[in-house]
Amino acid sequence: MLDHRLPFEAALSGIEVELAPCESELIRLSEALDRVLAQDVVWSEGMIPAGHRLTASDITLLATNGHQKSVAVVRRPRVGVLATGDELVPPGTPLSYGQIPNSSTPLVSACVRSWGGQPLSLGVAADRMESLRECLNLGQALSVDLIVTVGGTGRGDRDFLRPLLRTEGTIMFDGVAIRGGQTTIFGRYRGCPLFALPGTPSACRLTLEEFVRPAVLRLGGHPTAPVTVPARVAEGFRARPLLSFEWARVTRDEAGFQAHRLRGPGVGIWTSMIRANALLVVPPDVSEVKAGDVLEAQLLDAAA
Amino acid sequence: MLDHRLPFEAALSGIEVELAPCESELIRLSEALDRVLAQDVVWSEGMIPAGHRLTASDITLLATNGHQKSVAVVRRPRVGVLATGDELVPPGTPLSYGQIPNSSTPLVSACVRSWGGQPLSLGVAADRMESLRECLNLGQALSVDLIVTVGGTGRGDRDFLRPLLRTEGTIMFDGVAIRGGQTTIFGRYRGCPLFALPGTPSACRLTLEEFVRPAVLRLGGHPTAPVTVPARVAEGFRARPLLSFEWARVTRDEAGFQAHRLRGPGVGIWTSMIRANALLVVPPDVSEVKAGDVLEAQLLDAAA
């Protein structure tokens, strides 16, 4: 059992212990050649080393190996996606007072898909314990390898996830020392690993990247380390005494990489997320970042 | 009409003049949220800037914009894929004397798909002018935006592509000054842009990366420049007086990026391609590369 409000690395190492890659499956060579293979990992030893992420280049070798009829790859992880909240309605439907479109399910699904997982919707849970339990049980019925829920990680009267995990699961950590992602929970529901992410879009996207991404990659047999580059910060800013990830746009010039932090008031955070191609990592012991300082930038959407 | 044996940049600039992005299409928001959007580019001005490559982050903004019913994206380019040669049989079938499995169609298709295009097989052309013409006409019937052929770019009696393009198309360039890719042809068949690539797997994969990749990206509305990093070369090697691209594995250490050139005799080139995560660019005026020299490394499978 891990401590409350873990530092990030400890939280991740906990996850790594908990999650082993999915079992491998044999797929027919003809099917393998038709699939977009960039997201599959070869499991067996042979011409292509075990653990190798298949790319277009490998197709030639697979295709020309005349006597081979199938190829063993790690099965794609099945990830149950659950949004929570009475106020959520499907995107595109007219809104009544107090309603908001459910953006969590499409967001989590798109992320999971881009990391090689297979997203499966568990629906939208209403703010009742029984509704939440029904949705989570659907995940069990669908044999998912991981559940990701969004919202309901606060400590209000209508946040039922924590009490439910306490009675029918385990909580591995409850809260992390990351700005914006503080209320992230990792546990198990009836044996199935579960991440509960905060509901605000930027915190959700951030914790998806920092926690769910390595978990889905690990389940899929991929390396989990993000691609990072050292980047000079273009304009200085004040930092808070908590590990922070800043949406940034990294460009390359003669002298190396330069990072422009993207921030805007209010709705501007969406524009920041959309324009960002990296997350700038600000360690908790840094209180001020000056122009020209070098920080690590995690590249988004980059292959390892 | 461009010159014979063009330098690489001139060839590419010629392609850029020739290829404009595909027209845009409106897709329903619900469909957009279900698609893996990373390969679509938004065309219209609006909340998300025109020319923006959609990623998972954008899903939130699309989903929460309640009154929006559709989104305009660049249509995925349709790319006709044609292998040539009497000796080719489908992968996985038993081989008779003189036969080899057709690895070109799966290779080109996988590459095109990974760059956001839609590959369409035009079959395998036998070594007869009429067979080649039939396959290319199928491309026209399928309204492809680009044709990629593999093999038959030599100057033997059974290489019919060049004479066919001369009578029913145009040849924009015939040969490029790149080691391994010398026999690459770019032209038009009945108005449709066409790349004819050399048939050996490594030359095919190299010219796919250097010519077809930017073309497919441009048709799809994406930026075409490869992601490159400056990398110290781990071990020295002799170079030839021709622009060369060496399969390499780039790693990052404290001092920056380091590139290990991957070479092996004979069949080893396949292992090299499979292990490579970059192409090391050796300019034509470099006759010897020493350990510690810094060269540009084009990262493979990296997003721009």
Side-chain angles (χ1 to χ4, degrees):
Chain A
M1 200 71 88
L2 303 176
D3 290 329
H4 179 66
R5 294 188 70 80
L6 281 174
F8 177 60
E9 285 76 14
L12 257 197
S13 74
I15 293 163
E16 292 188 350
V17 171
E18 286 293 315
L19 298 175
C22 297
E23 69 272 28
S24 63
E25 64 176 359
L26 279 173
I27 57 174
R28 286 179 48 224
L29 188 60
S30 56
E31 191 198 340
L33 296 174
D34 278 343
R35 269 161 81 158
V36 178
L37 280 164
Q39 293 173 336
D40 288 317
V41 164
V42 172
W43 193 243
S44 62
E45 293 283 351
M47 287 181 305
I48 300 179
H52 178 78
R53 188 173 66 94
L54 288 174
T55 67
S57 291
D58 309 323
I59 297 284
T60 302
L61 185 49
L62 284 175
T64 49
N65 185 18
H67 62 274
Q68 193 170 357
K69 292 274 174 274
S70 62
V71 56
V73 298
V74 176
R75 180 171 64 69
R76 296 191 185 204
R78 296 163 65 85
V79 181
V81 182
L82 174 57
T84 63
D86 285 340
E87 71 281 16
L88 300 180
V89 295
T93 47
L95 300 178
S96 303
Y97 180 76
Q99 293 186 325
I100 56 172
N102 166 25
S103 64
S104 309
T105 308
L107 171 62
V108 177
S109 300
C111 285
V112 165
R113 213 178 284 121
S114 75
W115 299 323
Q118 185 186 353
L120 296 160
S121 175
L122 307 184
V124 176
D127 290 331
R128 291 177 293 107
M129 179 79 93
E130 196 44 47
S131 173
L132 187 60
R133 185 184 281 119
E134 272 171 25
C135 291
L136 292 176
N137 289 346
L138 175 59
Q140 199 170 33
L142 293 172
S143 302
V144 297
D145 303 298
L146 179 70
I147 296 170
V148 178
T149 71
V150 180
T153 62
R155 292 175 184 276
D157 289 348
R158 299 162 76 202
D159 293 327
F160 295 109
L161 189 67
R162 199 175 276 104
L164 186 62
L165 283 182
R166 282 212 195 91
T167 56
E168 300 182 39
T170 13
I171 293 178
M172 307 298 294
F173 64 76
D174 183 354
V176 289
I178 295 178
R179 188 156 72 86
Q182 285 98 325
T183 60
T184 305
I185 299 171
F186 175 58
R188 285 179 180 270
Y189 177 79
R190 299 191 173 181
C192 181
L194 178 149
F195 282 99
L197 309 182
T200 50
S202 67
C204 178
R205 181 71 186 88
L206 172 64
T207 50
L208 274 168
E209 193 70 23
E210 299 302 328
F211 292 101
V212 180
R213 179 184 170 281
V216 173
L217 290 176
R218 171 158 288 259
L219 287 168
H222 298 277
T224 59
V227 176
T228 62
V229 294
R232 281 172 297 115
V233 176
E235 299 100 22
F237 58 92
R238 301 287 295 262
R240 303 199 207 166
L242 205 54
L243 180 64
S244 304
F245 295 84
E246 301 282 340
W247 301 102
R249 184 116 204 126
V250 169
T251 54
R252 197 187 141 202
D253 56 26
E254 296 292 305
F257 294 98
Q258 191 175 44
H260 295 267
R261 180 168 162 259
L262 305 166
R263 287 305 293 271
V267 74
I269 188 65
W270 287 356
T271 320
S272 304
M273 278 166 59
I274 288 169
R275 299 208 173 148
N277 62 359
L279 282 165
L280 206 53
V281 186
V282 187
D285 57 345
V286 171
S287 61
E288 192 178 357
V289 178
K290 297 194 191 69
D293 282 359
V294 174
L295 292 176
E296 286 295 308
Q298 290 180 1
L299 302 185
L300 299 167
D301 307 311
Chain B
M1 199 72 87
L2 303 175
D3 290 330
H4 179 65
R5 296 186 68 80
L6 279 174
F8 179 58
E9 285 76 14
L12 257 196
S13 75
I15 292 164
E16 292 188 351
V17 171
E18 285 293 314
L19 298 175
C22 297
E23 70 272 29
S24 63
E25 64 177 358
L26 278 174
I27 56 174
R28 285 179 48 224
L29 188 58
S30 55
E31 190 198 343
L33 296 175
D34 278 342
R35 267 162 83 158
V36 177
L37 280 163
Q39 293 174 336
D40 288 317
V41 164
V42 173
W43 193 243
S44 62
E45 294 282 353
M47 288 179 305
I48 300 178
H52 178 77
R53 187 173 65 95
L54 288 175
T55 68
S57 292
D58 309 323
I59 296 284
T60 301
L61 185 48
L62 283 176
T64 48
N65 184 19
H67 62 274
Q68 193 169 356
K69 293 272 173 275
S70 62
V71 55
V73 299
V74 176
R75 181 170 64 68
R76 295 191 184 204
R78 296 162 67 85
V79 181
V81 181
L82 174 58
T84 64
D86 285 340
E87 71 281 16
L88 300 179
V89 295
T93 48
L95 300 178
S96 302
Y97 180 77
Q99 293 185 325
I100 57 172
N102 166 26
S103 64
S104 309
T105 308
L107 171 61
V108 177
S109 300
C111 285
V112 164
R113 215 179 281 120
S114 74
W115 298 323
Q118 184 186 353
L120 296 160
S121 174
L122 307 185
V124 176
D127 290 330
R128 292 177 291 108
M129 179 79 92
E130 195 45 46
S131 173
L132 187 61
R133 186 184 279 120
E134 272 171 24
C135 291
L136 292 176
N137 288 347
L138 175 59
Q140 196 170 34
L142 293 172
S143 302
V144 297
D145 301 298
L146 179 70
I147 296 169
V148 178
T149 72
V150 180
T153 60
R155 292 177 184 276
D157 289 346
R158 299 161 77 204
D159 294 325
F160 294 109
L161 189 66
R162 198 174 277 104
L164 186 61
L165 282 181
R166 281 210 197 93
T167 56
E168 299 181 40
T170 8
I171 294 179
M172 308 297 296
F173 64 76
D174 183 353
V176 289
I178 296 179
R179 188 157 71 87
Q182 285 97 325
T183 59
T184 305
I185 299 172
F186 176 57
R188 287 181 177 269
Y189 177 78
R190 296 191 174 182
C192 181
L194 178 150
F195 282 99
L197 309 182
T200 50
S202 67
C204 178
R205 181 71 186 87
L206 171 64
T207 49
L208 274 168
E209 193 69 25
E210 299 302 327
F211 292 101
V212 180
R213 179 184 169 280
V216 173
L217 290 176
R218 171 158 287 262
L219 287 168
H222 298 277
T224 60
V227 176
T228 63
V229 294
R232 281 171 298 116
V233 176
E235 299 99 22
F237 57 91
R238 301 288 296 263
R240 303 198 208 167
L242 205 54
L243 180 64
S244 303
F245 295 84
E246 301 283 338
W247 301 101
R249 183 114 205 130
V250 170
T251 55
R252 195 187 142 201
D253 56 26
E254 295 293 303
F257 294 97
Q258 190 175 42
H260 295 266
R261 180 167 162 260
L262 305 167
R263 286 305 292 271
V267 74
I269 187 67
W270 287 354
T271 320
S272 304
M273 277 167 59
I274 287 169
R275 300 211 171 144
N277 62 0
L279 283 165
L280 206 53
V281 186
V282 188
D285 57 346
V286 171
S287 60
E288 191 177 359
V289 178
K290 297 195 192 68
D293 283 358
V294 174
L295 291 176
E296 287 295 307
Q298 291 181 1
L299 302 186
L300 299 166
D301 306 311

